[in-house]
Amino acid sequence: MRQVITAQQMRDAEQRVFDAEPDVDLMGRAARAVAKIAEGVAPSGPVLVAVGPGNNGGDGLFAAAHLADHRPVTVWLAMGKGHEAGLAAARAAGCHVVDAVAAAAALGDAALVIDAVTGLGSRPELPTTTATFAEACEASAVPVLSVDLPSGLDADSGQVHDSFRAQHTVTFAALKACHVQEPAASRCGQVHVVDIGVPVPQDEGQAVRQADEADVARWWPRPDATSDKYSRGVVMLDTGSEHYQGAALLTVAGALNAGAGMVRYTGRVHSGLVLSRFPSVVVGEGRAQAMVLGSGWGDTDGAEGRVANARLHGLPAVVDANALYALPQGRLDGWLLTPHAGELSRMLGCSRSHVQTEPVSCAREVARTTGAAVLLKGATQYVAEPSGRVTIAVPGPNWTAQAGSGDVLAGICGTLLAAGLPAWRAGVVGASIQAMTAARNPGPYPPDALAARLPEVIGSLLA
Ligand SMILES: NC(=O)C1=CN([C@@H]2O[C@H](COP(=O)(O)OP(=O)(O)OC[C@H]3O[C@@H](n4cnc5c(N)ncnc54)[C@H](O)[C@@H]3O)[C@@H](O)[C@H]2O)[C@@H](O)CC1
Ligand SMILES: [K+]
């Protein structure tokens, strides 16, 4: 699990270090880390460093000085000035300081561009010369290493503006929102988090973290010698409708391939269809540990009654699709709601673009008011808990943006709830395993084909 902090939390943490140790050279540590990663990305050849007026530029200038020790380094002061001591160090080390025209020309020979124009202090709208240079970098084959974040992005947001597009980003102490939230995250390339001796404690209730594959492996429920179908978990699926029969099959595929002890099907799709594809399914209500509701219901009547009936069972439930608009009154402790941005916006009565701009606060709001965990699906998948804590699932490729992925995911999460995982963790682990399966099987696999590959991914993860 990796922490995600705000720019302000980083600045406060840095200040605490300076208060305790006024002479500490954090910029020196940051610059050495940048130079080291630069050597790994491009071990030889000329380096071109684009430098801004603040401390991000300072990191870049001291890194340039390190690199100039043994290779040609060109420095461009993108906004006409640079960190004073850093610039002196770079000049003393033999860096060649050039203007915008010469910088554009130097791009042709460069083995690496270091982008140190803006970092935590970045404001949207890069000056035109810098934006043009960033475009030229993108059009060239030269790799870009961004210091802290690709200049032009906002550290605390996943939104994109004119910015550099990096192959590598070196950041300090902890991840920031732009490194993990799409679409900005895609502009960061591989993100290296470097410890520069700045501890960043977080308020647990408001924490944002990103799960990794080790978390998924640790949390995945595995049977032992005492297990039977009931102790592994029985999940009851009320999914699909006459119009969306496939949704029933997709939720069953997700639930079974995630390792349910038993799947019961209680939805309105003809049981013969379900059994012809999945003969181990048991049709009708019975003993169960979790339910899945809503996938493929469409606008069918009686949603409120079906959700209320599920509540009477007293079981944790995954609530998906149209069941999200039929939530019963009262706290839904232990439930997992799985909206995408459009569904969450309808639940909140706001625009979809607002959810896309503020995904964390929107997911938190619904978790707080319902008492359920909320898995907000999309290119980045967020799980908010009623406490305010948010966990981002392991990211995956964009191929899973297709009809039916959400149905499979609801089934996977149902199995995990039935196995006894708390709702937030079922959401994180379910979304992560689907992303990991897609990452290991790149290409346009339909959701049922990817569901069929879950067992081998789960098996290899736990081996
Ligand atoms: N906070 C910390 O703990 C550490 C910070 N360090 C570095 O310091 C950076 C933060 O430094 P600063 O606070 O000086 O901020 P930045 O260096 O990110 O940027 C500030 C400067 O850039 C200008 N600027 C920002 N966006 C602009 C835009 N769109 N158009 C024109 N000008 C723009 C601002 O006016 C200001 O002069 C971090 O990103 C990191 O690289 C490191 O040295 C190590 C430790
Ligand atoms: K930068």
Side-chain angles (χ1 to χ4, degrees), residues 50 56-57 114-120 122 145-152 164:
N56 192 254
I114 296 181
D115 150 34
V117 181
T118 57
L120 295 182
S122 193
L145 168 62
S146 285
V147 179
D148 215 358
L149 46 103
S151 303
F164 282 79

Side-chain angles (χ1 to χ4, degrees), residues 50-426:
V51 165
N55 291 333
N56 192 254
D59 294 348
L61 285 165
F62 281 109
H66 286 299
L67 294 168
D69 186 45
H70 53 279
R71 57 200 290 187
V73 178
T74 301
V75 166
W76 171 45
L77 302 179
M79 296 182 199
K81 54 186 177 178
H83 185 276
E84 213 172 303
L87 188 54
R91 284 191 199 278
C95 294
H96 188 43
V97 181
V98 301
D99 62 14
V101 176
L107 187 58
D109 294 329
L112 177 71
V113 169
I114 296 181
D115 150 34
V117 181
T118 57
L120 295 182
S122 193
R123 296 191 307 269
E125 299 300 325
L126 285 176
T128 312
T129 43
T130 309
T132 307
F133 179 77
E135 271 172 34
C137 291
E138 200 173 331
S140 76
V142 184
V144 172
L145 168 62
S146 285
V147 179
D148 215 358
L149 46 103
S151 303
L153 294 183
D154 170 358
D156 293 334
S157 157
Q159 299 304 297
V160 290
H161 319 277
D162 276 348
S163 77
F164 282 79
R165 184 181 287 277
Q167 277 67 46
H168 294 265
T169 295
V170 189
T171 192
F172 311 111
L175 295 165
K176 320 297 178 304
C178 67
H179 302 131
V180 292
Q181 297 188 17
E182 295 291 4
S186 290
R187 301 223 176 164
C188 298
Q190 184 183 344
V191 181
H192 309 254
V193 181
V194 176
D195 179 4
I196 55 166
V198 178
V200 275
Q202 264 193 331
D203 168 9
E204 179 61 8
Q206 290 302 303
V208 180
R209 323 83 63 80
Q210 186 182 46
D212 56 31
E213 293 199 0
D215 297 316
V216 179
R218 192 156 43 92
W219 291 332
W220 195 272
R222 56 195 93 194
D224 62 26
T226 66
S227 299
D228 60 28
K229 60 192 174 198
Y230 295 109
S231 63
R232 286 186 62 188
V234 180
V235 58
M236 199 148 68
L237 309 180
D238 178 359
T239 55
S241 60
E242 195 182 331
H243 272 90
Y244 300 103
Q245 301 195 22
L249 301 178
L250 291 164
T251 50
V252 173
L256 276 180
N257 286 300
M262 186 199 292
V263 172
R264 293 186 189 277
Y265 182 70
T266 64
R268 297 183 179 177
V269 170
H270 192 274
S271 58
L273 175 64
V274 177
L275 290 170
S276 67
R277 287 285 301 275
F278 301 104
S280 66
V281 169
V282 175
V283 175
E285 291 200 352
R287 183 174 159 191
Q289 282 93 9
M291 304 182 72
V292 178
L293 308 165
S295 316
W297 280 6
D299 289 326
T300 43
D301 295 336
E304 274 85 4
R306 286 159 84 179
V307 180
N309 174 49
R311 189 136 203 240
L312 292 176
H313 282 86
L315 299 175
V318 176
V319 183
D320 191 35
N322 279 33
L324 291 165
Y325 314 133
L327 294 179
Q329 296 295 316
R331 306 284 294 170
L332 300 172
D333 299 316
W335 285 32
L336 174 65
L337 315 183
T338 58
H340 54 56
E343 289 160 344
L344 194 68
S345 68
R346 183 167 157 190
M347 294 170 80
L348 282 168
C350 66
S351 68
R352 187 188 180 108
S353 64
H354 177 66
V355 173
Q356 285 163 334
T357 316
E358 300 287 343
V360 169
S361 60
C362 289
R364 267 186 182 141
E365 174 65 10
V366 173
R368 188 182 64 75
T369 52
T370 61
V374 175
L375 162 55
L376 171 56
K377 298 178 293 192
T380 306
Q381 317 216 71
Y382 306 85
V383 179
E385 296 171 66
S387 68
R389 189 170 68 170
V390 172
T391 310
I392 296 173
V394 175
N398 299 326
W399 292 111
T400 50
Q402 59 183 332
S405 283
D407 302 330
V408 171
L409 179 54
I412 299 171
C413 293
T415 285
L416 294 168
L417 272 189
L421 268 65
W424 72 269
R425 197 176 284 176

